[in-house]
Each structure stands twice: as structure tokens, then as C-alpha cells.
Amino acid sequence: MALMIKGGTVVNADQTLKADVLCVDGKIVQVGADLPVPAGAEVVDAGGLYVMPGGIDPHTHMQLPFMGTVATEDFYTGTAAGLAGGTTMIIDFVIPNPQQPLMEAYQTWREWAAKAVSDYSFHVAVTWWDDSVGSDMERLVKEEGVNSFKHFMAYKNAIMAEDETLVNSFSRCLELGAMPTVHAENGELVYHLQRKLIAMGLTGPEAHPLSRPSEVEGEAANRAIRIAQSLGVPLYLVHVSCKEAVDEIARARHEGQRVYGEVLAGHLELDDSVYRNKDWEFAAAHVMSPPFRPKGHQEVLWKALQGGTLQTTATDHCCFCADQKAMGRNDFSRIPNGTAGVEDRMMVLWDSGVNSGRLTMNEFVAVTSTNAAKIFNVYPQKGSVSVGADADIVLWDPAASHTLSAKTHHQNIDFNIFEGRTVQGKPAYTISQGKVVFANGELKVERGAGRYIKRPAFPNIYEAVERYNRTHVPVPVERD
Ligand SMILES: NC(=O)NCCC(=O)O
Ligand SMILES: [Zn+2]
Ligand SMILES: [Zn+2]
């Protein structure tokens, strides 16, 4: 099946050029000026549009069982919503219960994800430790194409990884050529502050950010970074939300450590005043962790993204509706944590990033797609409009505007944290595996068309990591 994208402007992370793009059987086979249209090819007129790599959201939680309920967005509805927003690949998370074998959890998530309509991949969480976990990590890397492992430093009495687990798992990641990632919040402190606030009579959503102040994230970010430094392993911090964590990443990078950071569209745009809204449901709908931060942190995050301290953008898409949020009516610590955004991320990033002059179009592509593809080692199969790449493409209309709203979005949730915001710049067409799956506001998706994408271990930074570690092996002092 051939698809010709005619007359557009190709925008990659490294260059912009006027070119046609020919896709055959799901791959890009030609990029160049005035390409002839093969007989029988479908033609899409990209005049006035930017032809960019489809977005990669490296942090989603479709149908996650969490805090006594299950996220409403599943792999079918969630990947469809992603396509409507120009995101053609997600990296979701397998999260085993403590003591559950990693392979068993992985198989469960693979079954759940079989209905996805766009390509997807998995990070696997390490929530506990013994030798069998290390063996399963090896199988996941070598047989299943998993090259990143997640560690929740928060959620005590549930999925929190203790320091012992972090040290063992990070070391195993180094041996296997995988990337350790962390949700950086000091779970012990969060637990303590939650109990203290409730004892003081603060039971509403306004207490949520007070139980997880930015120093709680800064401490955990520093701890994870220092553990990674001691072991000589690279590290990726998910949903970096505050100045304290940015400062730790900047310092580590300044000192030559390979540390990467992700920021969520929500953390860039919203502040913690949402939790003090008089409407309980509105405030609870914003409960996610780390929480939205006091005014000032957003600009720090934007500068860190612009300056390269943070490299990727994500959503942490994790949908809970009003009836689920109501589980925490009398105790904010029981409000299921999570907000949506997989459909909105690219539009918000374009509007606040490119339209404001914070990001060039090429930088936009880097932070919404290419950098994630590189860090998680699927580049240039993903994250690039180039010959040989997967034909996952978004045709972006910079002139069109769109109002983000729960009334019109495709996300399976009754709330939108960007409700009512009108953005300029949106996908006119989304192409997945060489097929038009979203055009002029209409989705044309096929249940199960999404493929599981294997991500090989030892991304190219590992060449340098291993060489560096080899030249820093301690040697015993020779004595008589
Ligand atoms: N972020 C959030 O509040 N929910 C999903 C789980 C996580 O990523 O921490
Ligand atoms: Zn998290
Ligand atoms: Zn998450």
C-alpha cells in the first residue's frame, strides 16, 4: 500500500526542508522534492502543513489498576486519543505487584495492550527485589525487547521501591544495557506528611500538594542521581515537576553524569491553585503525583526544556473519572492519582512552545518525539521522517485552532485539565504505519492494528558509559 504526502514541509529534529514523502507498506521509502506519484498511490495534499515525526509519549498508564480502582482509559481508547492528537507511539508501564514475577505482569499487560490502535512499548517497573527479579529483567531485555525499568520512590505500602531495590536493580540495568528510570518522591516523607495533615483536619485535595512539597521530589531526585553516579549507570527521571529536581539534574549533567529528564505538559502549564478551588470535584480531578506546583516552577521547567536539562515531554496519561476520584472524599490520600493528556500534549507544546518563541519547530520535534526515540533506543525507526523509518507521521496545521475540552476530546475521561483553552496549531492528519488514521477531525482506526515495539538494549550512550566505567575500575595497591 502506497501513500504519497505531497507538497509539505518536512520538519525533523535536525532540519527543515520542502519535500514529498512516499510511504510504502508502513515504511518511508523516499523523501525528496517533486517525487512522481506511483500508480495506485493514495495522495495527501500537505500544502501549508508541516510533515513531522508522529509524537512519542514515553509515559502513559492505560487501564492501570491503581489505588483500589482501574484507570478508565484502555489501550484501545487511549491510543486512539493519542492519534487524534498526533501521537503515534506510547511507552506504557508494566507494574507488577510486590512479590509478583515480572514476567507474569508483563504477559498480562501485553494481553491488555493487544487492542491498541497505534504502536506501543513497555517500561517494566521493579517494585521489589530478589534474584528472580534480576533473572526476569534479563529475559525481558534479551527476549522481549524491554530496555528500561521503572522505580517508584513513592507510594509506600504499595509499589514503592526501597533503596536496596534501587541499588540492585540499577546495577542489573548496567549489566543488561538498560535504562533505569525513577518517579522521584521520598515516599516515607509523603506518608508522614499525609498522616500529619489528616490529623490536623486537612482532608481535602488542598492537602495533596502540601503532602508532596517540592523538596520531597528534590531529595529523591538527588538520591536516585547519586545512586546512579556511584554505580556508573545512566538515569532517566520521569515527570520532573519542580526547580529542586531540575537543579539536581542540571548539576549532575554539568558534572558529566548521563542523567535525563522528562516533563509533563500539565506541569509546564498548570499551578497548584487548582487544589484550592472551592469545587471539590474540580480540585480532586487535578490530583496527580507529583502535584502541580506553586507559580514559578513552570517557568523553571520551560527554561530547562529549552536549555536541554530536560529532553522529553510526556503526559503520565492516567484517567480516573469523578466517581473514582470520590473514593477520597473524606481523605485526600485516597483520591486515585492521575490526570489525562495524551491527546492534548502536542497541541499544548506547540501553542506554548513554538507560538511563544520558546521552541523552534525542530526543537518541538526533538522534545515531543526524537529525543524519546533516542533515549529509549528506537531511533531512527521512530522519531524521524527519513528513508527507512516507520511511516508514523503527523501533518501539522499551524494555522488551525482548536479548543481543548472534555466535551469534544477522544480521551475516555470526564475532565480535561486544559478545559476551554484554545490552541493554535493542531494535527490535520495523523499517519500510523503508512495509513491515514486521523483526518479532518475523524478517527479511522482499527482495533489491534498497533504493534508491540521491541527496543534493543545498549543504546549508543552505553558505548561511552562502559568505556568510562572500564577506565575507572579500582585497582588494589600492591604491597610487600
Ligand atoms: N502520576 C500519577 O499521579 N499517577 C500515575 C502513577 C505515577 O506515575 O506516579
Ligand atoms: Zn509517577
Ligand atoms: Zn506515571
Side-chain angles (χ1 to χ4, degrees):
M1 207 203 89
L3 176 76
M4 174 66 87
I5 303 166
K6 261 268 162 235
T9 301
V10 173
V11 183
N12 273 315
D14 59 349
Q15 62 170 338
T16 304
L17 70 155
K18 275 262 177 214
D20 301 336
V21 178
L22 178 63
C23 312
V24 176
D25 295 335
K27 292 275 181 198
I28 297 172
V29 297
Q30 266 187 300
V31 178
D34 303 320
L35 297 179
V37 180
E42 180 184 346
V43 179
V44 175
D45 177 5
L49 305 179
Y50 295 122
V51 181
M52 304 191 291
I56 299 173
D57 189 336
H59 189 156
T60 66
H61 300 281
M62 305 303 173
Q63 69 190 79
L64 176 70
F66 193 50
M67 295 184 70
T69 183
V70 178
T72 51
E73 188 88 281
D74 68 20
F75 283 89
Y76 173 69
T77 58
T79 49
L83 291 173
T87 288
T88 52
M89 178 173 171
I90 60 166
I91 314 182
D92 207 275
F93 293 83
V94 172
I95 308 184
N97 291 318
Q99 309 309 318
Q100 184 184 20
L102 272 59
M103 286 306 298
E104 181 186 292
Y106 170 78
Q107 292 305 350
T108 303
W109 258 265
R110 284 294 303 271
E111 282 163 29
W112 289 342
K115 53 187 170 292
V117 299
S118 77
D119 286 355
Y120 58 94
S121 195
F122 284 116
H123 312 280
V124 175
V126 176
T127 52
W128 60 290
W129 189 262
D130 74 6
D131 286 348
S132 74
V133 176
S135 309
D136 274 4
M137 287 171 75
E138 182 170 13
R139 276 188 68 190
L140 286 162
V141 167
K142 295 188 174 160
E143 296 168 23
E144 305 297 334
V146 171
N147 71 11
S148 47
F149 292 92
K150 168 81 173 281
H151 307 81
F152 290 91
M153 298 171 78
Y155 306 124
K156 180 178 158 71
N157 297 330
I159 52 177
M160 182 169 101
E162 305 286 346
D163 281 3
E164 183 191 1
T165 299
L166 299 181
V167 171
N168 283 312
S169 177
F170 284 20
S171 305
R172 193 71 178 126
C173 285
L174 180 63
E175 289 163 358
L176 296 169
M179 178 70 80
T181 79
V182 287
H183 166 138
E185 284 186 303
N186 183 319
E188 210 49 65
L189 264 174
V190 172
Y191 184 76
H192 174 83
L193 293 172
Q194 285 176 332
R195 304 280 69 83
K196 187 171 149 186
L197 286 157
I198 287 165
M200 289 166 68
L202 278 131
T203 57
E206 66 278 13
H208 176 68
L210 303 176
S211 70
R212 316 178 92 101
S214 54
E215 51 270 27
V216 162
E217 183 177 342
E219 186 283 326
N222 180 48
R223 185 158 32 105
I225 289 169
R226 290 301 192 187
I227 292 172
Q229 180 186 29
S230 305
L231 299 172
V233 64
L235 180 68
Y236 177 95
L237 291 94
V238 308
H239 52 41
V240 174
S241 75
C242 63
K243 178 178 186 310
E244 287 81 348
V246 166
D247 286 349
E248 297 299 343
I249 297 170
R251 180 198 51 70
R253 289 176 67 85
H254 193 67
E255 290 171 9
Q257 218 182 317
R258 289 185 190 275
V259 176
Y260 304 93
E262 164 195 287
V263 63
L264 308 184
H267 283 136
L268 286 166
E269 297 297 296
L270 273 65
D271 66 63
D272 67 348
S273 58
V274 292
Y275 299 115
R276 294 186 293 278
N277 195 289
K278 293 268 190 215
D279 178 349
W280 190 94
E281 286 193 355
F282 178 92
H286 290 88
V287 167
M288 59 98 51
S289 297
F292 300 117
R293 295 300 187 188
K295 278 194 176 42
H297 288 273
Q298 300 74 24
E299 203 46 42
V300 173
L301 295 173
W302 268 113
K303 297 245 159 65
L305 190 63
Q306 289 172 264
T309 300
L310 304 175
Q311 298 75 31
T312 63
T313 60
T315 58
D316 200 357
H317 186 82
C318 188
C319 295
F320 298 109
C321 289
D323 57 329
Q324 295 169 297
K325 294 280 182 181
M327 293 164 67
R329 202 24 106 171
N330 302 316
D331 173 352
F332 72 88
S333 70
R334 295 185 186 278
I335 300 171
N337 285 204
T339 54
V342 72
E343 183 173 353
D344 310 314
R345 176 185 65 128
M346 305 271 285
M347 290 180 272
V348 169
L349 260 289
W350 181 276
D351 194 50
S352 283
V354 179
N355 291 344
S356 72
R358 283 173 168 134
L359 300 174
T360 66
M361 294 193 293
N362 309 91
E363 287 165 346
F364 169 84
V365 169
V367 302
T368 55
S369 181
T370 310
N371 290 351
K374 287 182 178 171
I375 292 169
F376 295 113
N377 210 20
V378 281
Y379 181 83
Q381 177 189 357
K382 303 287 186 189
S384 173
V385 177
S386 58
V387 173
D390 285 356
D392 280 4
I393 298 169
V394 60
L395 306 190
W396 197 264
D397 185 347
S401 62
H402 179 68
T403 301
L404 306 170
S405 173
K407 294 188 192 82
T408 50
H409 69 201
H410 299 82
Q411 301 170 136
N412 192 25
I413 181 171
D414 55 5
F415 196 85
N416 190 310
I417 58 169
F418 305 109
E419 184 68 38
R421 175 171 170 175
T422 299
V423 291
Q424 190 180 329
K426 67 172 194 177
Y429 298 86
T430 308
I431 294 160
S432 170
Q433 299 177 47
K435 288 196 189 109
V436 175
V437 288
F438 179 74
N440 307 313
E442 291 292 317
L443 276 166
K444 294 185 256 177
V445 296
E446 188 192 330
R447 197 178 173 88
R451 301 167 303 181
Y452 173 70
I453 301 296
K454 289 191 171 186
R455 296 176 294 117
F458 293 102
N460 77 344
I461 58 155
Y462 254 89
E463 246 178 72
V465 167
E466 291 193 314
R467 201 168 299 135
Y468 182 89
N469 289 345
R470 269 201 303 278
T471 55
H472 288 76
V473 173
V475 285
V477 174
E478 297 292 336
R479 297 194 176 86
D480 298 336

